[in-house]
Amino acid sequence: LAKICTGAPPFTGFVALFVLLPSWARCSICCGGNQQRNNTMNIDKALSMFGGGNGLLGPEPEMPAKVDPEAKKEKVLSNKEKEAIRKKELEEKKKKKAAAALFAAQNPSKSAEKAPGKSKAGKGKKKEGETEAEGVTAAALIEPKVDAEPTVGPVVAAAPSASELAAAAAAKAEAAARAEAAAKAEAEAEEAERILNKQHLARLVSASRAVTVDVVQSTQANPPQPPPKSGFELPEDPTPQLLERYISEGADAQFAGESSAAALHVGVCAAAIGPAALHASHALPRLISQAQKADAGSFARECAILCIEEMSLHLGHAFEPLAVPLLSKFVDLLTEKDKKIADAAARAMRALLGGLDPLCVGLVLPALYEGMVAASWRSKELCLQSLGLLAGHATLTLGAFMPIAVPKVIECINDSNAKVHTAAAHVIPSIISCVNNPEIQTLKKMLTKALRDPATTLDTIDELLSQTFVNAMDSASLAFVMPLVLRGLRSETYELVKKAATCAGNMCALVVNGSDLAPFMPQLKPELEKALEHSSPVVREEAHKAIEKLLDGVGELIDHDARSREIAKLMTSSLSTAFGKTLPAEVSSFMGTIGATLLEQLFSGYLTTKLVEEAPKHIASKWVPLAMAFGGKELQTKLPAVCEAVVTRFLHLLPLRAQRMLCGSDGKDYIVDVQNCILAFPGRVLLKKADIRFERAHRYGLIGQNGVGKTTLLNRLSKKDITGFPQHLNVHYIRHEVVCEDGVDVLTFSADKAPKHRSDLPTICDVLGRVGFSESQQSTHVNNLSGGWKMKLSVAISMLWEPQLLLLDEPTNHLDRASREWLKQHLLALEGVTMALVSHDYAFVDEVCTDTVHYDNGGQAGYPCHFVYYPMGFSAFQELKPEIAAGLPTASKVVDNALAADSAKRADADSADSMSETDGDKSSVAGESDEVVVASRLSKVEDMIASGEILPIRFPDPGKPEGIRTYRKPVMLMKDMSFAYPNTDRCIIKSASVTVTLGSRVVLLGANGAGKTTLLKLLIGDLEPTEGVGEVWKHHNLRVSYIAQHSMHHLEDYLNLTPISYIQERFRQGQDTEVAKLKTLQLTDIEKKSLTEIGQVSEVIGRQQRGKQMWYEVVKPGRKKNDTQWYPLDELKSQYAPYVMKLVYNYDEKLKALESGLAIRPITSTEILDHLTDFGVTSELAHGKIKQLSGGQRQRLVICAAFWSKPHLIALDEPTNYLDNDTLAALTQALKTFKGAVVTVSHNEAFVREISNEKWIVEDGTVAVMQLRDAKAR
């Protein structure tokens, strides 16, 4: 613009400058950095041409040398790095370039003459009158390219020559030809596949001819029973003439009795002569005409309407082809001022709709919609009530019409008439029941309330955002959600607009068929586009994402209505051809409509070959009664052929994916066949268009990256809340952990979890005995069992259920070699049981599973997955798809070479005597291939974190406790420790003595039940030592964090919170509430009573170092507040009750929190989010619910929370169970560089070798310390 002004005549340029100066002024302040300076320079340059002084920047900048008119013409290039041109401008630019290239290719001899800015000689001389602005794009003037040496003005480059343009055009044409050829080949392949599919499906349909003929014969022999007779007998034989006479008598009715009597006679007579004779008599048009005649008598009009009501009651479904078109007439009559007529019309409507065939719903709804928008409140009220009546018995069919029905109902909710408002509010719960989506049914009450009361919109959208979806959103589901989203987008409240935009995007991402989303696009897209101009950048960003998902969702638009219309038309014409004039045209049309609706219903769910074979007989069973009622002949020969033809045509019109599904299921016995499954958390779609197809007696291994929803899918399969999942199927789920209250024994727990018909004690004892539990062991507390015995308990409970489908989630996580082998043999011995197994132990998967199911997202991280089935074990899959197997979590053949020599000892240690312990050790320790994988990851983990390929884990520097100057000085000691669980004689730990320094990297090894977790808990204070047997000392300022075997142990009370809220709640008092739960810190109820006893200690309020002794200031009951006493630590231990040491330890924890800054560290969302980011918990995960996190993500969160207090020592029990290779590499690297002590229990040999400098081997109650290398000095 500046160039245009400076190159124009003075007056014109001055006017342009005057008009455009306000816009330039905005440009000079709205951009930043170089862009702002360039804009301002252009304004200064223009001002200087008209005596504008020094402009905005002060002295005029040095201008570039003028271009010689005879110099070579230059073409200005746009800045590729800062491209900010609107989409339309970019498209125009591309069109111009394409046109130029095409011209050059077609006219190579003239290209030099016609090229912009080129002379005929090709020397680039400027033509007379040509301006410098010619050929310059807006982007080049607004954002000039910045070189290494900045200059004022645009950077120029020579335009391509004619030969270059021709070569580019040829290359482009060649690429287009290749793309066209590839597309043509793909289309030909698809067409060939379609032809094969059609032939196969046609054979399936033809094979069902005999079945269809049998259905026609049986239906003819046993037609549906007509409605029960009223008991009224006609005085004469029924004939059409008698019907005519009764109608005439009704037309002369003068009072109510005559009107009712005449209507009853007409109804009984019509039922007697049949619908064919009734249609031939043209009685219905006469009755409707009489009812609408304004000058007719009031009782005569009422009688005409009542006659149709009686016909509907006496003829049943056979009357529907004739009566359905009359419904709109009844709706019009609802507005009559004469109450008798309006009431009669309402009665006739209820009679017709009350028994209406559900397949006819689509034919009657338009009349009800007309009534809902009529001016009469009575019409609105009765039509709303009629809609509720249909919802009661035509639930499935009515659901498809919700996108139109719901807006009509919402309009009535906002009606000023109280009766209309009440009727609309009452019908909402009825019609929402027509939605076949379990998630929507879960939120039914909230959605109903929100549609009635706008004040609850925000709460409902919040709940939608936190919902986990395993079912796609169809048009019926969206019909109840989109009104709330639109309401939110139109709101003036920032929070509601933001969440509504987010919810809109989430809902669009859950749509499988674009036709389900299409009805809402005309309203939703404009509202989202308005949100793009919102003042908040967050709202703008969410609206932008939502628009992308909206356009992506409707991208696969399929007009199912067009298919239905074509099939209905084909059915109508086929029936007319087959039966000629025997069937009235309106009857043929009616039969075609219900037949097409039936096919859409049958094939809208889950596609199987059995469905294809049975479709013709389903249509025949619907058509035969109507054809018989209207005099159809030769049904056995005519109807089967018509049914087969229309079903075959319908199958041909199905999408290719549906045809593949039908052809692929031929001859297979699927125990589960759930198609088009979806799995989504708020803002994240994990599975889309996934088909869960499990064959009977097959064992499936589900493999994929962490966080793709494997465990969540098993959870939802166990709940049977996925649409289409067989509800009769006996399903049992063996979870990766056993959650049980303290003090519950094995027998009681088993009885509680067993099915009612097998919960008797003899049965339970027998099953427990079969898996290895002796009578004495059955009285052991569940929480005292080792990991291996807990898994055996889970297996015993599954045996009680005798499942048809068995689900297992990480079953080998805490098993040693012998337990793992026992579980494998048990699973292989189950006959006829279908299994779905999730495990990172791929050797176990390979040994157990017959099929492999891969979560495939096409290699695009963050994209939804679908299932790819491989009928082979994991080792064969690994050979077939090595590139996929290499990227899986711990994807290698797991070989337990390291512990082969100890297998006999492990088997002995896992015997009945080793039960009372709550830890576990897994059978498989990664072999050499795992170590290579981990080592290769470790060697480049920092680069991978920097590039974003691996999410980071970065531990904070804890510093050193007071008085500890080196990494070799002890900070924790255990001396002569022995321990046995209450009520048991077996001593788990015997005379154990260990030392921990800040440089320690200790790994505890041993078999299931050996006592590894017990030793770890004694060390960190989660178990109290047996009184008088050994002691545990730790430095008074040593900060310790503990992560248990199962991440759920730390998160079980916070599942409905976000990770941010979890950390805020856990540390809100300035201390770690998880540390406060340790048994060496938590006072019992009896100990709390001792706090008030005279002579005892009630509180510790101070601490001092006096020489080598630590002294504590205590408060005793009965003394004045300031009358405190000081005691050395040894005296408090020896002279006072044990609870006093808990008070001491609690006071130490307070001082530790103050020293680490924990007590004053702000628990703001920003501070916590920064901390979470250091541990690879993204902002998206941080703002979602914890219950929606995968096992690996929860493990990251738990580790992150444990380091909020900056501990000097971290104790981890089985930290690698849920981590993939990349996360494991990041954790290993973080532990290696951590400036504190590490004590861990782990079964992963590669992980152990990388981090450990010391091993504690727990065996037969003893602890053997193996020093691998000295603690590293830092």
Side-chain angles (χ1 to χ4, degrees):
L1 293 176
K3 286 201 171 190
I4 293 173
C5 289
T6 55
F11 179 75
T12 304
F14 180 80
V15 171
L17 179 65
F18 178 79
V19 173
L20 297 174
L21 186 58
S23 299
W24 278 338
R26 289 195 295 273
C27 290
S28 70
I29 62 174
C30 74
C31 301
N34 292 332
Q35 183 61 56
Q36 178 179 352
R37 181 171 182 82
N38 290 333
N39 287 334
T40 310
M41 282 183 177
N42 284 330
I43 298 172
D44 288 341
K45 183 167 64 176
L47 289 173
S48 65
M49 298 298 296
F50 303 100
N54 290 333
L56 300 174
L57 291 176
E60 180 179 352
E62 182 179 355
M63 300 297 291
K66 291 186 177 181
V67 180
D68 186 354
E70 299 299 324
K72 185 177 180 180
K73 175 63 181 174
E74 308 282 358
K75 181 182 178 182
V76 180
L77 302 177
S78 62
N79 184 355
K80 296 180 181 178
E81 298 177 350
K82 294 185 176 182
E83 188 175 15
I85 303 174
R86 292 184 178 180
K87 185 177 180 181
K88 185 176 179 180
E89 293 173 340
L90 286 175
E91 290 175 353
E92 291 176 356
K93 182 179 177 182
K94 290 178 182 177
K95 289 178 182 178
K96 290 179 181 178
K97 287 185 177 180
L102 182 62
F103 179 84
Q106 294 175 345
N107 305 278
S109 61
K110 299 181 181 181
S111 60
E113 298 177 9
K114 297 295 182 181
K118 288 278 186 178
S119 67
K120 290 185 179 181
K123 295 184 179 180
K125 292 184 179 180
K126 190 190 299 183
K127 296 181 181 179
E128 185 177 353
E130 185 178 3
T131 67
E132 289 184 19
E134 185 176 343
V136 178
T137 65
L141 289 174
I142 295 175
E143 296 184 346
K145 187 172 182 179
V146 180
D147 286 338
E149 297 180 6
T151 58
V152 178
V155 178
V156 295
S161 65
S163 59
E164 292 173 338
L165 287 173
K172 184 176 181 180
E174 184 180 355
R178 285 198 302 268
E180 183 179 356
K184 184 178 179 181
E186 184 179 357
E188 290 175 352
E190 286 190 359
E191 185 59 29
E193 185 182 2
R194 279 186 176 276
I195 292 173
L196 293 175
N197 290 342
K198 289 177 182 179
Q199 293 172 352
H200 180 71
L201 294 172
R203 286 194 297 270
L204 291 176
V205 174
S206 300
S208 65
R209 170 67 66 91
V211 176
T212 308
V213 172
D214 289 342
V215 169
V216 173
Q217 290 177 342
S218 62
T219 307
Q220 282 183 296
N222 302 288
Q225 294 298 318
K229 296 182 179 180
S230 61
F232 178 77
E233 295 288 341
L234 291 174
E236 304 176 41
D237 292 336
T239 61
Q241 293 75 21
L242 182 62
L243 177 67
E244 181 71 22
R245 195 176 78 194
Y246 286 146
I247 292 175
S248 299
E249 290 176 1
D252 297 331
Q254 299 297 320
F255 55 88
E258 290 182 352
S259 174
S260 300
L264 179 59
H265 282 80
V266 169
V268 174
C269 186
I273 64 175
L278 175 63
H279 176 264
S281 70
H282 303 290
L284 284 175
R286 284 188 56 196
L287 290 171
I288 286 295
S289 176
Q290 180 177 320
Q292 292 177 320
K293 191 180 295 184
D295 56 352
S298 176
F299 290 105
R301 296 179 66 190
E302 178 192 27
C303 180
I305 300 171
L306 294 179
C307 286
I308 298 176
E309 178 196 5
E310 291 293 339
M311 290 180 185
S312 181
L313 293 173
H314 285 84
L315 286 167
H317 292 307
F319 184 59
E320 289 170 358
L322 307 178
V324 165
L326 306 179
L327 187 64
S328 59
K329 310 294 184 183
F330 295 142
V331 172
D332 292 339
L333 292 171
L334 293 175
T335 62
E336 284 286 336
K337 294 181 180 179
D338 190 330
K339 192 172 183 302
K340 292 192 299 297
I341 298 173
D343 288 345
R347 286 177 56 184
M349 285 178 61
R350 282 193 288 268
L352 175 61
L353 298 178
L356 188 72
D357 188 325
L359 297 175
C360 307
V361 166
L363 297 174
V364 301
L365 284 178
L368 298 184
Y369 295 155
E370 290 179 11
M372 291 183 199
V373 298
S376 168
W377 67 265
R378 182 177 178 82
S379 176
K380 293 179 181 179
E381 181 186 30
L382 290 172
C383 286
L384 286 167
Q385 292 172 353
S386 299
L387 186 64
L389 186 65
L390 287 175
H393 72 276
T395 302
L396 182 61
T397 311
L398 186 60
F401 299 95
M402 287 298 102
I404 302 174
V406 172
K408 306 286 186 186
V409 175
I410 292 176
E411 288 181 19
C412 293
I413 286 179
N414 299 325
D415 198 280
S416 58
N417 187 283
K419 291 186 177 180
V420 175
H421 171 83
T422 302
H426 284 167
V427 83
I428 287 287
S430 300
I431 61 176
I432 202 172
S433 298
C434 299
V435 178
N436 188 25
N437 183 296
E439 286 82 16
I440 295 299
Q441 291 303 320
T442 301
L443 302 173
K444 176 180 176 179
K445 290 184 178 179
M446 290 195 73
L447 289 170
T448 301
K449 186 176 181 181
L451 291 172
R452 294 171 175 171
D453 181 11
T456 62
T457 302
L458 181 58
D459 292 338
T460 306
I461 289 180
D462 271 335
E463 193 63 30
L464 281 167
L465 290 175
S466 65
Q467 187 74 22
T468 299
F469 287 84
V470 290
N471 299 281
M473 293 291 285
D474 56 9
S475 59
S477 306
L478 292 170
F480 292 92
V481 174
M482 285 304 175
L484 305 181
V485 171
L486 292 170
R487 185 191 294 166
L489 290 172
R490 294 163 182 159
S491 172
E492 296 180 357
T493 306
Y494 158 76
E495 188 72 13
L496 184 52
V497 175
K498 181 188 74 171
K499 291 185 176 181
T502 304
C503 187
N506 290 356
M507 295 300 106
C508 293
L510 296 175
V511 174
V512 172
N513 298 315
S515 56
D516 289 325
L517 189 56
F520 308 97
M521 191 170 179
Q523 283 186 296
L524 182 59
K525 190 169 181 285
E527 295 300 332
L528 290 173
E529 288 173 342
K530 289 180 184 176
L532 290 175
E533 302 174 1
H534 197 278
S535 59
S536 167
V538 178
V539 173
R540 295 198 297 270
E541 181 182 1
E542 293 298 329
H544 178 71
K545 292 178 183 176
I547 290 176
E548 287 183 343
K549 292 177 181 177
L550 173 63
L551 297 177
D552 183 60
V554 298
E556 301 179 11
L557 186 60
I558 301 173
D559 188 1
H560 293 293
D561 291 338
R563 181 176 66 199
S564 183
R565 288 193 298 271
E566 179 179 341
I567 294 299
K569 185 177 179 181
L570 175 62
M571 288 180 172
T572 301
S573 61
S574 299
L575 288 169
S576 298
T577 302
F579 294 101
K581 296 182 179 179
T582 304
L583 286 181
E586 54 262 53
V587 176
S588 298
S589 177
F590 181 85
M591 292 170 66
T593 300
I594 65 171
T597 305
L598 177 60
L599 281 178
E600 290 291 347
Q601 280 189 10
L602 289 174
F603 289 90
S604 64
Y606 303 97
L607 309 176
T608 63
T609 52
K610 184 178 180 181
L611 190 61
V612 174
E613 295 167 354
E614 294 182 350
K617 78 172 186 180
H618 288 304
I619 297 176
S621 65
K622 279 290 181 183
W623 280 355
V624 169
L626 290 173
M628 290 175 60
F630 286 93
K633 305 295 183 182
E634 301 178 4
L635 300 183
Q636 297 179 24
T637 57
K638 295 180 179 179
L639 269 186
V642 175
C643 293
E644 288 177 19
V646 295
V647 170
T648 301
R649 179 57 183 163
F650 181 85
L651 295 175
H652 291 177
L653 295 176
L654 287 176
L656 182 59
R657 184 175 185 274
Q659 292 181 357
R660 287 171 178 163
M661 191 73 63
L662 287 169
C663 295
S665 63
D666 188 15
K668 294 181 180 178
D669 181 16
Y670 289 110
I671 193 172
V672 176
D673 191 2
V674 179
Q675 299 161 20
N676 274 336
C677 177
I678 199 165
L679 176 61
F681 293 147
R684 294 182 297 147
V685 180
L686 303 178
L687 284 177
K688 194 168 185 179
K689 293 187 177 180
D691 302 319
I692 307 172
R693 314 190 83 184
F694 295 159
E695 290 187 64
R696 192 179 304 277
H698 283 231
R699 297 183 294 273
Y700 295 89
L702 308 183
I703 62 171
Q705 293 297 325
N706 284 350
V708 296
K710 299 187 292 294
T711 297
T712 303
L713 179 64
L714 295 186
N715 285 330
R716 301 310 286 264
L717 288 174
S718 68
K719 294 178 181 177
K720 304 182 184 181
D721 61 354
I722 303 177
T723 302
F725 190 90
Q727 298 300 306
H728 66 276
L729 197 64
N730 188 358
V731 182
H732 186 73
Y733 183 17
I734 297 180
R735 303 174 187 272
H736 59 265
E737 58 183 322
V738 175
V739 179
C740 179
E741 297 290 335
D742 288 336
V744 179
D745 60 47
V746 169
L747 200 57
T748 304
F749 183 79
S750 302
D752 182 58
K753 297 296 182 180
K756 290 183 179 179
H757 67 282
R758 303 198 69 196
S759 58
D760 56 288
L761 289 181
T763 302
I764 293 173
C765 292
D766 175 62
V767 172
L768 289 173
R770 284 158 56 191
V771 300
F773 284 87
S774 66
E775 290 185 12
S776 60
Q777 293 162 1
Q778 293 173 16
S779 61
T780 303
H781 288 178
V782 173
N783 286 343
N784 289 343
L785 295 177
S786 67
W789 282 99
K790 283 185 177 179
M791 179 50 62
K792 289 188 176 183
L793 176 60
S794 295
V795 170
I797 295 171
S798 74
M799 292 167 65
L800 289 169
W801 280 92
E802 298 177 320
Q804 297 167 284
L805 174 63
L806 181 61
L807 311 173
L808 303 100
D809 186 15
E810 301 288 0
T812 64
N813 262 0
H814 307 293
L815 302 187
D816 62 12
R817 188 182 189 88
S819 299
R820 177 183 177 277
E821 181 65 21
W822 177 90
L823 178 61
K824 182 189 80 172
Q825 294 301 331
H826 168 75
L827 295 178
L828 292 176
L830 296 177
E831 295 183 0
V833 178
T834 304
M835 299 180 201
L837 167 67
V838 172
S839 177
H840 288 148
D841 183 351
Y842 294 104
F844 184 79
V845 173
D846 186 47
E847 293 165 355
V848 171
C849 295
T850 59
D851 299 76
T852 301
V853 184
H854 177 227
Y855 279 69
D856 183 22
N857 61 0
Q860 297 177 296
Y863 276 67
C865 297
H866 65 280
F867 289 143
V868 179
Y869 290 81
Y870 297 88
M872 60 190 71
F874 183 78
S875 59
F877 168 78
Q878 195 174 24
E879 294 176 5
L880 179 67
K881 298 288 184 179
E883 70 284 358
I884 295 177
L888 293 173
T890 324
S892 61
K893 293 182 180 180
V894 185
V895 183
D896 190 12
N897 294 328
L899 299 182
D902 298 328
S903 60
K905 293 182 180 179
R906 288 177 176 272
D908 293 339
D910 198 34
S911 65
D913 293 333
S914 61
M915 292 181 56
S916 49
E917 211 282 66
T918 59
D919 67 64
D921 187 21
K922 197 172 178 179
S923 64
S924 302
V925 179
E928 293 181 1
S929 55
D930 269 340
E931 295 172 23
V932 171
V933 171
V934 175
S936 64
R937 289 296 194 192
L938 280 173
S939 64
K940 52 185 178 180
V941 64
E942 291 296 336
D943 294 336
M944 297 176 76
I945 289 175
S947 65
E949 187 176 346
I950 292 180
L951 294 173
I953 294 180
R954 302 187 185 97
F955 294 163
D957 185 353
K960 295 185 179 70
E962 180 186 355
I964 303 297
R965 298 183 180 179
T966 71
Y967 286 94
R968 295 183 177 88
K969 188 172 182 179
V971 293
M972 181 179 285
L973 295 172
M974 177 182 285
K975 186 176 180 182
D976 297 328
M977 175 61 67
S978 296
F979 180 83
Y981 282 97
N983 303 320
T984 62
D985 297 329
R986 179 174 175 257
C987 197
I988 299 294
I989 302 296
K990 303 173 185 176
S991 301
S993 297
V994 294
T995 301
V996 179
T997 69
L998 286 183
S1000 294
R1001 296 289 185 274
V1002 179
V1003 177
L1004 282 74
L1005 300 177
N1008 284 139
K1012 302 183 299 299
T1013 298
T1014 299
L1015 181 63
L1016 185 63
K1017 288 185 174 183
L1018 286 168
L1019 197 63
I1020 57 98
D1022 199 28
L1023 279 178
E1024 293 183 88
T1026 305
E1027 188 172 352
V1029 184
E1031 64 175 338
V1032 176
W1033 170 87
K1034 63 180 178 180
H1035 191 281
H1036 55 273
N1037 279 338
L1038 184 72
R1039 295 189 297 275
V1040 178
S1041 284
Y1042 170 53
I1043 300 175
Q1045 270 186 8
H1046 309 290
S1047 58
M1048 280 294 294
H1049 173 84
H1050 292 277
L1051 300 176
E1052 56 191 6
D1053 296 330
Y1054 307 97
L1055 294 180
N1056 288 315
L1057 298 181
T1058 66
I1060 292 176
S1061 300
Y1062 160 62
I1063 292 180
Q1064 288 174 332
E1065 184 67 21
R1066 180 168 166 175
F1067 296 95
R1068 63 186 172 85
Q1069 295 179 343
Q1071 288 182 263
D1072 189 348
T1073 55
E1074 290 298 326
V1075 172
K1077 293 177 183 178
L1078 296 177
K1079 292 184 179 179
T1080 53
L1081 296 176
Q1082 203 168 25
L1083 297 178
T1084 66
D1085 292 338
I1086 296 176
E1087 289 171 338
K1088 289 177 182 178
K1089 293 179 180 179
S1090 301
L1091 297 176
T1092 59
E1093 294 178 4
I1094 302 299
Q1096 296 296 326
V1097 176
S1098 62
E1099 188 179 3
V1100 176
I1101 61 173
R1103 189 181 74 186
Q1104 285 183 0
Q1105 181 81 35
R1106 298 181 182 180
K1108 293 185 178 181
Q1109 272 275 24
M1110 190 64 65
W1111 288 63
Y1112 288 86
E1113 184 180 12
V1114 302
V1115 176
K1116 294 186 176 182
R1119 292 177 176 268
K1120 293 182 179 179
K1121 186 175 181 180
N1122 296 328
D1123 187 7
T1124 61
Q1125 292 177 295
W1126 287 86
Y1127 293 96
L1129 181 61
D1130 289 344
E1131 186 174 340
L1132 290 175
K1133 279 185 180 179
S1134 60
Q1135 302 297 326
Y1136 288 89
Y1139 83 89
V1140 175
M1141 289 309 300
K1142 292 185 179 181
L1143 298 179
V1144 170
Y1145 295 150
N1146 273 291
Y1147 186 75
D1148 286 344
E1149 291 298 326
K1150 290 180 182 179
L1151 295 184
K1152 293 174 193 177
L1154 288 171
E1155 182 183 333
S1156 68
L1158 179 62
I1160 59 175
R1161 187 176 185 181
I1163 50 174
T1164 61
S1165 296
T1166 303
E1167 180 83 6
I1168 295 172
L1169 191 58
D1170 289 342
H1171 185 68
L1172 288 167
T1173 303
D1174 284 339
F1175 289 80
V1177 181
T1178 64
S1179 176
E1180 184 179 10
L1181 295 176
H1183 288 89
K1185 295 290 182 70
I1186 291 175
K1187 66 182 179 181
Q1188 296 158 350
L1189 300 181
S1190 68
Q1193 290 162 350
R1194 292 186 187 189
Q1195 195 79 319
R1196 278 182 176 266
L1197 174 59
V1198 170
I1199 295 172
C1200 172
F1203 276 90
W1204 180 261
S1205 61
K1206 300 179 181 178
H1208 299 110
L1209 184 150
I1210 181 72
L1212 307 104
D1213 196 352
E1214 302 281 13
T1216 65
N1217 277 345
Y1218 307 100
L1219 302 181
D1220 56 28
N1221 278 339
D1222 292 343
T1223 307
L1224 178 58
L1227 174 63
T1228 306
Q1229 181 71 10
L1231 288 172
K1232 289 175 68 175
T1233 58
F1234 175 48
K1235 296 183 178 180
V1238 178
V1239 182
T1240 182
V1241 175
S1242 179
H1243 60 270
N1244 189 315
E1245 183 69 13
F1247 174 74
V1248 168
R1249 292 187 182 184
E1250 282 292 331
I1251 72 162
S1252 62
N1253 59 25
E1254 190 173 342
K1255 291 183 180 180
W1256 297 350
I1257 301 173
V1258 184
E1259 186 176 9
D1260 295 331
T1262 63
V1263 180
V1265 178
M1266 181 185 297
Q1267 192 76 34
L1268 302 179
R1269 52 184 178 270
D1270 189 21
K1272 296 179 180 179
R1274 288 170 171 79

